[in-house]
Amino acid sequence: MYETENEMIARLSEYYKKRLVFKEVGSGYGIADLIIIKNKSAFNQFLNERNGAFLSNSDQIKIFIFLRKKKKGVSFEELVQNHYISETRLKYQVLNHLIAIGAVIKKNNLYFRNEQFSLFSPKTVAIEGKLNNWKAGLTQAIRYQRFAEQVYVALDEDFVHRANLEEFKKYNIGLISVGPKVKEILPAKISPPLDPIMKYGISERLVEKSPQLNARRLREIHF
């Protein structure tokens, strides 16, 4: 039915226009064609609270999570001992940034998490769109389970019958048919993301682009 994947994704985007949807979001394991944030109100509140401040890499997220458990503060040496991060990177690309955005406080040579700064746990649906190559779509979609609660492959309705549903069930990947009508052929069960760092990373990347965000309509975001 569709000439290009872009045309099909545009139809899918229109179908989800009332949801909080982002197009082409990079995750470190490929670029998901669509990402839907289901806890929309909480995410918008999170954006407002952050006021543009964001964690820019996975090491910053790891250090912030580590500090959440250390109420009495942590020395630089202890951070080095507990993470595979070079001292130079830890100091200049991780801690300096966390302090600059107010996520971490340094006092008496100890590092503390700012209790007013928090991470956001998004309820994420990721969708990989393919015209007819369900195998390639499935392979990519499996990678998105590292950060998303539900993952789908969307196929042109003219080719969706070719998909092996048993393979989709095996990996808990949902299947969507896209045509004049959008149909969920196989639902994806909700399951915790495999990598919590990547789960938080999606939220941080969206905050990074927050000046471009508009919660009332689809925006195209490239990372």
Side-chain angles (χ1 to χ4, degrees):
M1 174 174 182
Y2 295 99
E3 293 290 332
T4 67
E5 286 182 5
N6 285 339
E7 291 178 4
M8 189 188 74
I9 296 301
R11 171 67 186 104
L12 199 58
S13 300
E14 174 66 19
Y15 179 78
Y16 288 116
K17 64 182 180 180
K18 293 183 179 180
R19 310 282 291 275
L20 184 55
V21 183
F22 304 101
K23 186 177 180 182
E24 296 189 339
V25 179
S27 63
Y29 283 85
I31 300 176
D33 288 305
L34 293 180
I35 279 185
I36 300 171
I37 303 297
K38 294 192 293 183
N39 45 344
K40 176 179 176 179
S41 296
F43 180 75
N44 286 332
Q45 181 179 347
F46 167 72
L47 276 182
N48 291 332
E49 292 173 352
R50 279 297 190 86
N51 195 29
F54 61 91
L55 281 63
S56 60
N57 59 58
S58 60
D59 285 337
Q60 292 172 7
I61 297 174
K62 291 175 183 176
I63 293 298
F64 184 78
I65 290 175
F66 183 79
L67 291 175
R68 288 196 304 186
K69 306 171 185 177
K70 303 289 184 177
K71 302 296 183 181
K72 295 183 179 180
V74 179
S75 67
F76 183 82
E77 292 70 24
E78 183 177 351
L79 289 173
V80 171
Q81 292 171 3
N82 283 276
H83 298 87
Y84 292 102
I85 307 173
S86 71
E87 292 187 15
T88 299
R89 178 174 174 79
L90 179 61
K91 181 177 181 179
Y92 295 106
Q93 294 181 260
V94 178
L95 290 172
N96 279 3
H97 179 80
L98 292 175
I99 292 171
I101 65 174
V104 168
I105 299 170
K106 184 179 181 182
K107 184 177 181 181
N108 297 327
N109 289 321
L110 294 177
Y111 296 91
F112 300 83
R113 171 212 167 186
N114 182 352
E115 297 291 337
Q116 304 304 314
F117 196 100
S118 62
L119 298 175
F120 182 75
S121 182
K123 298 182 185 295
T124 304
V125 178
I127 302 176
E128 177 69 12
K130 296 293 182 185
L131 283 180
N132 53 40
N133 193 339
W134 68 267
K135 291 183 179 179
L138 180 62
T139 298
Q140 188 62 44
I142 290 170
R143 297 170 182 166
Y144 300 154
Q145 290 177 322
R146 298 183 69 86
F147 67 85
E149 288 188 341
Q150 292 173 287
V151 182
Y152 287 83
V153 172
L155 296 174
D156 187 309
E157 68 172 8
D158 289 345
F159 303 101
V160 72
H161 66 279
R162 297 180 180 178
N164 186 331
L165 293 185
E166 292 306 313
E167 285 294 299
F168 280 76
K169 292 177 183 178
K170 177 181 177 181
Y171 295 103
N172 187 28
I173 301 296
L175 181 62
I176 297 171
S177 171
V178 186
K181 293 184 178 180
V182 176
K183 302 176 184 178
E184 185 176 291
I185 304 299
L186 180 68
K189 297 178 182 178
I190 296 174
S191 60
L194 300 177
D195 187 337
I197 302 299
M198 289 187 64
K199 175 188 69 174
Y200 291 128
I202 289 295
S203 297
E204 298 303 323
R205 292 185 181 196
L206 294 178
V207 174
E208 181 179 1
K209 299 295 182 179
S210 60
Q212 302 175 17
L213 293 181
N214 184 332
R216 293 182 177 83
R217 65 186 180 92
L218 179 71
R219 298 301 300 265
E220 187 167 323
I221 298 179
H222 300 272
F223 296 107

